[in-house]
Amino acid sequence: METTFDVNHLFPETITVLDQNLIAGGKSLGRSDPQPQIAAVIDELGRASAKAQYLTAPITSASKLQTNKHHLYLLKDGESNGGRGLAVGFLKVGYKKLFLLDQQGAHVETEPLCVLDFFVKENLQRHGYGLELFSFMLQHKKVEPVMMAYDRPSPKFLSFLEKHYCLKNSVPQVNNFVVFDGFFAKKSAAQLRKVPPKKPDGEIKPYSLTEREAVREEQRALPWPLCRHAAPPLSPPLSVSSPCSPSRGRQRPDPALAPAPAPGANRGPNPHPPLINSLNCRAKRTSVTRSALSLSLSLLSNCPV
């Protein structure tokens, strides 16, 4: 881009690598603080890139570069602009943690090197500047194009990748990033991590039989105050017709087979409480026992020796 200051002094090399410090060289530049001029060049290139991509706001600026760990490769033409140099274009890359879909549709967590913005001045395109800039970045980062992810590549950029690097078969993604065949095949297991699929929300089911048996075994192993045994089954209630029956295991009689009550019998509730009925039953049994003993003694006394 044409500027009023000397680009060749700001960027000594044909391709300059800039990071968050916005330092292109040393004190040999002849300027005490070159960062404002460097920031102006980056901002101007960022606005031109956003306009070419029909974006509402630039995605590349000096302030954004200072707040992120990205690298910006700036290409100049040192002979243009009356010998003061001309900024031709730039390429911004950085590492991003992404959740991508492989060929089988499984989610994969990875952190590849991504192309975040790529721009060459429109009247200088198809002159080899883009290929020179992209090849320099690959050598500097020591990475293959198939191992990278591309953020919202334009149709021109996709044609560029297909023409120079034979990248044409992309793996569909749900985000704005594009990866190509071979990205997942060449990644090592340490770089790729499968993300377990989220379980669908379903109804809450009770414990299985195995889990309940395990809980019971744990309860049996606890000491006495903490263990909780299952309560014994309740005994069947006593028959209404025989409240004094001592046997609790006797089967409850069928109401259909029970004898009909006497005509004058009281059909209402028992007027005596259960405790009084129990005491009356004990008294009757005691009197019957005493009568039997007396009868036995009298019979013995009457028998001849």
Side-chain angles (χ1 to χ4, degrees):
M1 311 297 292
E2 295 183 2
T3 55
T4 57
F5 41 85
D6 197 336
V7 174
N8 288 328
H9 283 282
L10 289 177
F11 308 104
E13 305 293 335
T14 303
I15 299 178
T16 303
V17 183
L18 298 172
D19 56 9
Q20 57 187 356
N21 298 318
L22 297 183
I23 297 176
K27 296 181 180 180
S28 60
L29 294 174
R31 298 180 182 273
S32 57
D33 189 10
Q35 288 190 355
Q37 289 79 16
I38 294 176
V41 173
I42 295 174
D43 292 341
E44 190 173 359
L45 288 171
R47 288 190 294 268
S49 176
K51 183 180 179 181
Q53 301 179 63
Y54 302 99
L55 301 177
T56 57
I59 57 177
T60 298
S61 63
S63 60
K64 292 181 179 180
L65 186 62
Q66 288 177 313
T67 56
N68 294 280
K69 295 181 179 180
H70 298 158
H71 280 155
L72 187 141
Y73 299 85
L74 191 143
L75 174 65
K76 75 168 185 176
D77 183 4
E79 298 179 0
S80 301
N81 196 17
R84 290 182 299 178
L86 176 67
V88 174
F90 72 94
L91 173 61
K92 185 175 71 172
V93 299
Y95 290 94
K96 290 279 187 178
K97 181 175 289 187
L98 302 176
F99 292 90
L100 303 175
L101 296 174
D102 60 9
Q103 290 87 341
Q104 288 74 32
H107 287 83
V108 176
E109 180 182 357
T110 182
E111 192 172 358
L113 182 66
C114 304
V115 175
L116 305 175
D117 201 359
F118 189 23
F119 173 73
V120 174
K121 192 177 179 182
E122 294 182 355
N123 60 346
L124 295 176
Q125 294 178 4
R126 300 184 182 277
H127 286 73
Y129 291 112
L131 182 59
E132 181 182 1
L133 191 58
F134 200 84
S135 299
F136 182 89
M137 181 274 299
L138 296 177
Q139 295 178 2
H140 182 260
K141 289 295 186 180
K142 296 179 177 154
V143 64
E144 299 178 15
V146 71
M147 307 306 298
M148 302 180 65
Y150 302 88
D151 185 13
R152 289 174 293 187
S154 63
K156 289 183 179 180
F157 189 21
L158 292 175
S159 300
F160 171 85
L161 294 173
E162 182 179 357
K163 177 181 178 180
H164 298 287
Y165 300 101
C166 299
L167 299 178
K168 57 181 180 180
N169 296 324
S170 62
V171 182
Q173 302 296 324
V174 295
N175 50 23
N176 296 322
F177 286 85
V178 174
V179 292
F180 296 91
D181 284 344
F183 176 85
F184 300 99
K186 294 185 178 181
K187 285 282 185 180
S188 62
Q191 293 174 311
L192 296 178
R193 186 168 69 90
K194 293 284 184 179
V195 178
K198 183 180 179 181
K199 295 182 178 179
D201 297 333
E203 60 179 356
I204 301 176
K205 297 181 179 181
Y207 290 115
S208 63
L209 295 177
T210 306
E211 294 174 346
R212 283 184 285 181
E213 290 297 332
V215 172
R216 291 175 182 173
E217 292 295 334
E218 292 180 358
Q219 291 181 352
R220 294 193 189 108
L222 293 175
W224 171 77
L226 301 179
C227 63
R228 290 165 44 181
H229 298 285
L234 298 176
S235 301
L238 296 176
S239 175
V240 178
S241 60
S242 57
C244 301
S245 176
S247 175
R248 295 187 179 181
R250 188 173 301 171
Q251 187 177 0
R252 185 175 181 177
D254 190 354
L257 301 179
N266 186 11
R267 298 179 180 272
N270 189 2
H272 303 288
L275 181 60
I276 296 177
N277 292 338
S278 178
L279 293 176
N280 293 336
C281 293
R282 292 181 181 179
K284 290 179 181 179
R285 284 184 291 181
T286 305
S287 60
V288 171
T289 304
R290 290 179 179 176
S291 300
L293 289 175
S294 301
L295 180 60
S296 300
L297 291 177
S298 60
L299 292 175
L300 292 173
S301 59
N302 296 329
C303 292
V305 181

